[in-house]
Amino acid sequence: MTSNTPQRINVGLIGGGFMGKAHSLSYAAMPMFFWPAPALPHRKTIAELNIDVAREAAVRYGFDEGVSDWRRIIEDPDIQVVDIATPNDSHAEIAIAAAEAGKHILCEKPLATSSEEARRMLEAVQKAGVVHMVAFNYRRTPAIALARRLIEEGRVGKVLNFRGTYLQDWSADPSGPLSWRFQKKIAGSGTLGDIATHVVDIARYLVGDISHVNAMMQHYITERPLQSGGADKLGASEKNADAPMGAVDVDDEVMTLLRFDGGAVGSIEATRNGWGRNNYITFEIHGTEGSISFNYERRDELKVFFNSDPGDVRGFRTIYTGPAHPNGGALWPIPALGIGYGETKIIECHDFFQAVVTGGTVSPNFEDGYITALIEDAIVKSSQERREVEVERAGSLVKV
Amino acid sequence: MTSNTPQRINVGLIGGGFMGKAHSLSYAAMPMFFWPAPALPHRKTIAELNIDVAREAAVRYGFDEGVSDWRRIIEDPDIQVVDIATPNDSHAEIAIAAAEAGKHILCEKPLATSSEEARRMLEAVQKAGVVHMVAFNYRRTPAIALARRLIEEGRVGKVLNFRGTYLQDWSADPSGPLSWRFQKKIAGSGTLGDIATHVVDIARYLVGDISHVNAMMQHYITERPLQSGGADKLGASEKNADAPMGAVDVDDEVMTLLRFDGGAVGSIEATRNGWGRNNYITFEIHGTEGSISFNYERRDELKVFFNSDPGDVRGFRTIYTGPAHPNGGALWPIPALGIGYGETKIIECHDFFQAVVTGGTVSPNFEDGYITALIEDAIVKSSQERREVEVERAGSLVKV
Amino acid sequence: MTSNTPQRINVGLIGGGFMGKAHSLSYAAMPMFFWPAPALPHRKTIAELNIDVAREAAVRYGFDEGVSDWRRIIEDPDIQVVDIATPNDSHAEIAIAAAEAGKHILCEKPLATSSEEARRMLEAVQKAGVVHMVAFNYRRTPAIALARRLIEEGRVGKVLNFRGTYLQDWSADPSGPLSWRFQKKIAGSGTLGDIATHVVDIARYLVGDISHVNAMMQHYITERPLQSGGADKLGASEKNADAPMGAVDVDDEVMTLLRFDGGAVGSIEATRNGWGRNNYITFEIHGTEGSISFNYERRDELKVFFNSDPGDVRGFRTIYTGPAHPNGGALWPIPALGIGYGETKIIECHDFFQAVVTGGTVSPNFEDGYITALIEDAIVKSSQERREVEVERAGSLVKV
Amino acid sequence: MTSNTPQRINVGLIGGGFMGKAHSLSYAAMPMFFWPAPALPHRKTIAELNIDVAREAAVRYGFDEGVSDWRRIIEDPDIQVVDIATPNDSHAEIAIAAAEAGKHILCEKPLATSSEEARRMLEAVQKAGVVHMVAFNYRRTPAIALARRLIEEGRVGKVLNFRGTYLQDWSADPSGPLSWRFQKKIAGSGTLGDIATHVVDIARYLVGDISHVNAMMQHYITERPLQSGGADKLGASEKNADAPMGAVDVDDEVMTLLRFDGGAVGSIEATRNGWGRNNYITFEIHGTEGSISFNYERRDELKVFFNSDPGDVRGFRTIYTGPAHPNGGALWPIPALGIGYGETKIIECHDFFQAVVTGGTVSPNFEDGYITALIEDAIVKSSQERREVEVERAGSLVKV
């Protein structure tokens, strides 16, 4: 060990699905990328309902041990960080317990299944004084962070308009199984909470707070085959004509117009029924002095237009993010070597531990998660009443 | 002359600006592309307010003569077709006079400055029994016509969603002159009538009638330098700090959500303040069996996704339109040789004369123009009242 | 007629196929686009072997008359311009006759079926003192003209490298008929003369003269069904299992490395057997201060990179050509409205008549056509000898 | 530990630069992605010349210890795998020592600084009977592996042509420091060995062995500022006008035509002076029944064209790799979530350990590295002699 070895911080991870894998990767890789690292996350305990699954996950993901009861993690005095990567309906209970036990918390998105739950979670972490973060990871894509920097520096002028989409097709096939993501009691909502919230987060990150929404929500597929296993399986993998069917009670598509506090307007469309779109998170921003365009499916790139360029060579620049851009020094030595999903999680992990170690705050946090939940409420209400709806303010609950 | 020489039909063109040029091109070129041609359009008379301008236009655009009074065209018994390519506020007077004189009419878009005007124009042509067309030319882009054919054939299943944009930046610079396009009394509206209506037309062409809208309209630039000449100049060409300013009283941006009669939903965004976008007419359609995507800036291409493709080679196909596609036999011998703006007008010209010669109808016609004006009304009302608005039906006025 | 009416110049067009159509369009449209026009081309006579075909072509393409013997055009004292749009093996005879008759000549590419023919054609026009042009039209694409201007102005520094392609797939299907383009005695060569020469022309236009080549040529399809009609049909349209077969004796693909006089190097690949590529004329140029990239299939766009851009916003700019670019004032009022194949021919027509009227010269002319033929010779020789070959210089034959 | 816990295999890594980081990531992440994993790689020892650097690297990259003498790794009986991530000139000495000690070897590319060195390395591993691999990682990009599968399955027919590029711009700036990559005695060659070999590897992977080359090599920048530190710094970061200069004695650009054993032809261009290109590894393959196109800068995508598609919907399909594609089950649950550079290394790591555990072989191995070195020899010779050169065969040295 060298004298400037970062401190080791023990992590307990709850949930060994797709997100558990992504978070485990980030704990292992964060110091490799960010050096000196704010801390050395140590993978101590992973919890899964089934003890065999938990033990296997511990080997696979490099944890010291696997446990079947997540409360073992809460009760472990050697664990400083609790990572919640479970289905949405368990976030509140776990997070509140973790906060009361004084743990710092990284929670997957959406924060909760309702704004009421989200508010209680926020109150708990504020009362406990712990570091809290909600894992809207996409804003950590270097190209999106670059967009934020350019906007902050005024390089595209005042923002007039934001158009965002999140289009997927993994639920377009009616034969896809009825996973928890299609059940309101577990997921809280469908496309809205699952993916539209990522774009809401990006919109708030880039343009600021949203004051009004004006939305339509659609429900295309009303029943799906019951799933045999409990896995978090995406897409249509099991086609069994005889499988009993269960009701889908969440939305498939949401479209909303937006008004931002600063006067800008915008729109968001999210669907999981858009054939041919995989992880199509896009936005386009028009400012008074330029424009910015992004598509996560080509996430190494940010397209930027400056009206100040000479008239004969003016056009969107396709910028490949690299060492010259946010977090670029930590990632790969040249642009286009390849930003993957993992990198967004590695940067998220870094920023979280930076806050843990310095006692600071990090965004997006439970406040952001709560505000996003209030925006979700307004979208649902607007869709039902077919009119523009003002977003309820988080108000005094939130201390920034 | 050979025995199967098409009949010659005399045309009178009113307006020698950008659109006059495009239409003149189409008259000369139509038989070169479509053969046997339904008719040989003969460029007989062109009208411009100034007689010198009119005479010069006649030479330039290949007309027999130039006149300064458009009524000379209406009164000419040898002219069968009147082409209206003037600013919007004169469309109604000219069209009604032409109809009363028994002329077939091709009118530039938007049809009128209000739905009331549009209704009177429709009544006039219906009463006169003449062929009428409104020049929403973009639906004649071969790639868009291909999209229509694929939808009609059910190859992407039932349409769920339509997302359209028309983004330009030629009015993003506040120093651009106050052309007629920024004056409500001449143009009727701003971005809404000028370009959003093109996307409304495409949406109706591809998905069907629109029953409800839910819109926001924005006004970014409130005054502009008064223009010296009367030319239809786009963009910022004259920067004169001392130029007196005039008020802009039309919209710069319009966004609307849509409900279609068939159950599909959608959205349209149109702006002339989107830096870096030039003629960015795009749409994406999600169906139950596939998707279609289009961008006019790359107009030779249509992107289509079929869910029935084998799972390992499934992806949007980039189809370059050519001989295998609508009107392809008439255009160029291989795909990607190059579809330009002119081709959309040449096809429009063909379809119009086909109707003239056969005594049939053609779309989009004044009925479509009137319906589009009713949709414009609903968009304005929705924007003012901040709620969803039902589109008024054309009703018994329209006989299909 | 106004006082500044351009002079009328009579044109005789030989050949009513695809190229005859494109040239006819350019004669009609040139003054509509370029105004004041250098001249008003008048379509006087069109020649086709069959008199009925000729007469029908006259009606279709707007000529005063159709004739079956091209010598009627040569002998007509009222015709000042002869346009040669016939298969390659007749270019020399017609052009030499036209030159001797004192006609200005626009000849389709490639100039001839051999460098020897090309040399005699060049000698003839030089001796006659007429204006001569060879129709390598693609260099008139506004985006390519912009590339030339940027290079000339030094904005990408000294050129290091050029990589060009011309990929098509219309001859990839072995069932496509044995058109004249597959017969050496008519076409002179296959892909080499038909399409590779376009890229050679672009390379010379942008980077300068070529001193050495190092080539491979491939021959994939050795026989094809004999064609019933004589039409210039591209692609596979007639599949008749019983059709008698004829030998293909031209190349299908050519690849060559290049050395330019100025020290730059490069490569060209051309094929008509590249499935999925339609009119895929591309180039990429690396200079000491930037790069340029182009793809004709998206011909409204030029992509340019400047190393002098700030490090955080450096990337290829996608420039849509419009009024700010070469010939932009004559074309359409905003970028991306749509440059088609016709526009390249209209600009070509303008530049040719400019030279006719002013008594100047125009490029590319028969000298360029001859030099290109010498480069073709070197490519064939290099391919046969499997070594680098120096290009023979046009030498004293050429007076610039 | 569960009963099916994979065996632990100890790794010694030599070199803590960019490649050391990438390999460390792969050791940590491989079992997270591939489960059940063939083995659990244990990061035991990392070697760097400076002991403080080595110890810090051990903490950062998760190794048990850091050492300053790589021979400590060779001599450690508990280490089964030696990973060579040092500059090229030390590969041979280390690899031969590791082979003699019976270690399995993963060696960075290019295998050596000369074919002679490569041959000796191959002899050593063959004699020792150890598993050996050379880290041409790009062929493990899922989209490239999919290309291989489609070709093997005959889905694009017989391959006619391959065109590959590897374009970068990090050495285009003459003020970039004289890193080891610009020094022949350390690197062996410049662009040729550094990046062109990656495309040679891809070409061999997809199309087969190369029999002849016909090349040009260019040398643009002849001297660079001497570098203060020894870091593997890419690009122009230190601009010091007073810095003493050192000679660059390697190539900047290489272009070559190719003949493959199976009759296909092709070309490769590689440069590190192509402004605006970052990691632009591209290829296009034309087959008798279809085409394939790839660009690593958009590495989630493979573009494939099938001539058997119906004529009206035929076009390149943009396939986003995911669970349906090679190694897709191990990576991320939906396409376009994001394949990064790390994933190519994680798959490489998996395949290597699979061979280690099963006693099998893996490609590309030292034989491939040696054959690539022979191709490099032929390229240099061809460039010098300006003629096509036959590639020397590995011959009896190679036992497959």
Side-chain angles (χ1 to χ4, degrees), chain A residues 133-398:
Chain A
M133 186 177 205
V134 60
F136 289 118
N137 61 304
Y138 289 114
R139 64 154 77 176
R140 281 181 163 77
T141 309
I144 299 183
L146 173 60
R148 158 93 173 219
R149 182 189 287 175
L150 294 174
I151 292 169
E152 282 184 338
E153 293 175 0
R155 289 161 81 176
V156 293
K158 177 175 154 56
V159 172
L160 301 174
N161 190 271
F162 171 94
R163 180 174 67 260
T165 74
Y166 198 152
L167 313 181
Q168 298 186 323
D169 70 0
W170 64 264
S171 77
D173 187 334
S175 70
L178 187 75
S179 83
W180 66 264
R181 294 178 190 269
F182 295 110
Q183 301 175 52
K184 187 168 185 176
K185 69 176 188 291
I186 309 179
S189 67
T191 292
L192 175 58
D194 188 25
I195 61 173
T197 50
H198 272 299
V199 192
V200 168
D201 183 66
I202 291 168
R204 292 184 64 243
Y205 178 58
L206 297 178
V207 188
D209 263 313
I210 293 166
S211 64
H212 296 76
V213 299
N214 201 347
M216 284 185 186
M217 294 173 77
Q218 292 285 100
H219 190 171
Y220 299 127
I221 295 173
T222 55
E223 62 175 17
R224 290 178 176 278
L226 292 173
Q227 201 170 18
S228 44
D232 180 10
K233 182 90 94 183
L234 305 182
S237 48
E238 306 164 29
K239 308 210 181 191
N240 182 351
D242 301 329
M245 304 294 278
V248 174
D249 56 2
V250 297
D251 54 291
D252 290 312
E253 164 141 16
V254 57
M255 296 185 298
T256 186
L257 304 181
L258 306 170
R259 293 188 196 274
F260 292 90
D261 280 357
V265 293
S267 67
I268 290 175
E269 176 185 352
T271 181
R272 298 186 299 203
N273 290 53
W275 279 118
R277 300 307 184 188
N278 299 288
N279 209 43
Y280 193 78
I281 305 168
T282 71
F283 62 80
E284 178 159 327
I285 287 172
H286 300 144
T288 52
E289 310 294 336
S291 293
I292 300 177
S293 174
F294 173 78
N295 175 1
Y296 183 84
E297 294 196 345
R298 293 173 167 177
R299 81 207 63 81
D300 295 64
E301 307 171 17
L302 189 73
K303 294 180 191 287
V304 184
F305 180 95
F306 298 112
N307 77 336
S308 56
D309 274 340
D312 66 342
V313 289
R314 208 157 61 162
F316 273 95
R317 303 176 186 189
T318 301
I319 302 163
Y320 279 85
T321 56
H325 303 112
N327 288 312
L331 298 177
W332 302 107
I334 58 170
L337 210 57
I339 304 295
Y341 184 80
E343 279 81 343
T344 68
K345 284 294 186 182
I346 291 166
I347 298 169
E348 179 178 272
C349 176
H350 169 266
D351 295 352
F352 176 73
F353 277 93
Q354 188 77 37
V356 167
V357 167
T358 62
T361 59
V362 63
S363 289
N365 52 36
F366 282 19
E367 179 190 329
D368 297 286
Y370 175 48
I371 292 172
T372 298
L374 292 172
I375 294 169
E376 288 182 74
D377 286 353
I379 285 172
V380 171
K381 185 178 180 187
S382 168
S383 168
Q384 290 166 342
E385 302 186 358
R386 298 197 173 196
R387 62 172 186 85
E388 189 173 304
V389 163
E390 188 170 0
V391 178
E392 188 186 340
R393 296 294 167 156
S396 61
L397 277 165
V398 176

Side-chain angles (χ1 to χ4, degrees), chain D residues 121-139:
Chain D
M121 293 167 76
L122 174 58
E123 287 172 337
V125 293
Q126 284 181 339
K127 186 173 171 191
V130 296
V131 172
H132 46 102
M133 187 179 206
V134 60
F136 289 117
N137 61 304
Y138 289 114
R139 64 154 78 176

Side-chain angles (χ1 to χ4, degrees), chain B residues 128-313:
Chain B
V130 296
V131 172
H132 46 101
M133 187 179 205
V134 60
F136 289 118
N137 61 304
Y138 289 115
R139 64 154 78 175
R140 280 180 163 78
T141 309
I144 299 183
L146 173 60
R148 159 91 172 219
R149 181 188 288 176
L150 295 174
I151 292 169
E152 282 184 336
E153 293 175 0
R155 289 161 82 177
V156 294
K158 178 175 153 56
V159 172
L160 300 174
N161 191 272
F162 170 94
R163 180 174 66 260
T165 74
Y166 198 153
L167 313 181
Q168 298 186 324
D169 69 1
W170 64 264
S171 79
D173 188 334
S175 70
L178 186 75
S179 84
W180 67 263
R181 292 178 191 269
F182 296 110
Q183 302 175 51
K184 188 169 183 174
K185 70 176 186 291
I186 308 179
S189 67
T191 292
L192 175 58
D194 189 24
I195 61 174
T197 49
H198 272 298
V199 193
V200 168
D201 182 67
I202 292 168
R204 292 183 64 244
Y205 178 58
L206 297 178
V207 188
D209 263 312
I210 293 167
S211 63
H212 295 77
V213 299
N214 201 347
M216 284 186 186
M217 295 174 77
Q218 292 284 101
H219 190 172
Y220 300 128
I221 295 173
T222 55
E223 62 175 18
R224 290 180 176 278
L226 291 173
Q227 200 169 18
S228 43
D232 181 9
K233 182 92 96 187
L234 306 182
S237 47
E238 308 164 28
K239 307 211 181 192
N240 182 350
D242 301 331
M245 304 295 278
V248 175
D249 56 2
V250 296
D251 56 291
D252 290 312
E253 165 142 14
V254 57
M255 295 186 299
T256 185
L257 304 181
L258 306 170
R259 292 188 197 275
F260 292 90
D261 279 357
V265 293
S267 67
I268 290 175
E269 176 186 352
T271 181
R272 297 185 299 203
N273 290 53
W275 280 118
R277 299 307 184 189
N278 299 287
N279 208 45
Y280 193 78
I281 305 168
T282 71
F283 62 80
E284 178 159 327
I285 287 172
H286 301 144
T288 52
E289 309 295 337
S291 293
I292 300 177
S293 174
F294 174 78
N295 175 0
Y296 183 84
E297 294 196 346
R298 292 173 168 177
R299 82 206 64 82
D300 295 63
E301 306 170 19
L302 189 73
K303 294 179 192 288
V304 183
F305 180 95
F306 298 112
N307 77 336
S308 55
D309 275 339
D312 65 343
V313 290

